[in-house]
Amino acid sequence: MSTTEAVTFWDGVYAARPAATDPRPNTRLTETVTDLPPGDVLDLGCGQGGDALWLARRGWRVTAVDVSAVAVGRLADLALTHGLADRIDAERHDLRESFPRGAFDLVSVHYLHTPLDLDRAGVLRAAAHALRPGGRLLVVDHGSTAPWSWDQDPGIRYPTAREVADSVGLDRAAWTVERADAPRRIATGPGGRTAEVTDHVLIVRRTA
């Protein structure tokens, strides 16, 4: 899938959804970040922007990235509407070709599952290297398929958090795995539908 095809695909996914006026943040983000001091954060795959807005309201300086021009444009508009434009920089990147610049105290990667030909381990490795010492990489993946997911492939297998950590191949002398588990939660989808889902949660801290 080319960059143009990828943009077209994800623009179509987001354009088919009503624009949210105040999207919710992801549960795993809020439970992980609430007690952390604010700093610079990179939100990879920002989607509708709920995480970026939540982080900005708590004093974080947010670089929010998505391949979809629709998603990035909507987030930029929301940042203006909510008075957070000075704390949110919304950027479009195809992570196969470009990676946002900067050093960060937190990199948040939620549900970066895509039909694109993406070197996901390479992207996560770049994210880990973008951390300042003491910074954390939070990777939250699907561990099960929600009924409303765009991908309903019955044969899909989601790698565990440990498998994701191993695939990234970070030097254990400089990065430490703080969490790698598979908690369950009740998720709410379009139209208020609910279902129990499993998340694969990985937190890696840069120690040197």
Side-chain angles (χ1 to χ4, degrees):
M1 181 179 285
S2 69
T3 297
T4 300
E5 290 170 329
V7 172
T8 299
F9 174 82
W10 284 111
D11 279 350
V13 168
Y14 288 109
R17 303 173 181 174
T21 57
D22 196 9
R24 300 188 308 271
N26 282 298
T27 299
R28 303 305 175 198
L29 176 76
T30 60
E31 71 181 21
T32 301
V33 176
T34 295
D35 294 331
L36 296 180
D40 295 302
V41 55
L42 174 60
D43 181 7
L44 285 181
C46 63
Q48 299 211 71
D51 288 355
L53 294 170
W54 184 86
L55 287 160
R57 286 176 177 135
R58 281 152 185 79
W60 291 81
R61 296 175 298 275
V62 184
T63 300
V65 171
D66 206 282
V67 70
S68 168
V70 173
V72 168
R74 285 180 175 179
L75 176 55
D77 291 342
L78 284 172
L80 282 170
T81 300
H82 291 277
L84 297 168
D86 61 332
R87 291 199 163 272
I88 297 176
D89 184 12
E91 302 179 1
R92 197 196 73 76
H93 286 270
D94 179 342
L95 295 173
R96 296 174 301 176
E97 298 182 352
S98 64
F99 193 88
R101 295 182 178 182
F104 302 94
D105 304 292
L106 173 68
V107 180
S108 175
V109 188
H110 277 72
Y111 311 114
L112 190 64
H113 304 287
T114 175
L116 281 68
D117 180 17
L118 179 67
D119 177 10
R120 191 169 179 274
V123 170
L124 296 181
R125 193 175 304 114
H129 281 275
L131 290 170
R132 297 184 177 116
R136 290 173 173 86
L137 169 64
L138 168 64
V139 182
V140 182
D141 290 336
H142 294 302
S144 64
T145 302
W148 51 81
S149 172
W150 60 268
D151 187 354
Q152 292 295 326
D153 179 0
I156 194 168
R157 179 187 177 275
Y158 297 109
T160 67
R162 280 288 175 185
E163 289 171 336
V164 172
D166 290 343
S167 73
V168 177
L170 296 173
D171 183 352
R172 295 184 181 181
W175 286 271
T176 300
V177 174
E178 290 190 330
R179 178 179 179 181
D181 60 3
R184 295 184 177 185
R185 62 184 172 87
I186 301 299
T188 302
R193 297 174 65 190
T194 60
E196 184 179 69
V197 298
T198 300
D199 292 319
H200 288 167
V201 181
L202 172 66
I203 299 177
V204 178
R205 184 169 181 265
R206 186 168 193 173
T207 55

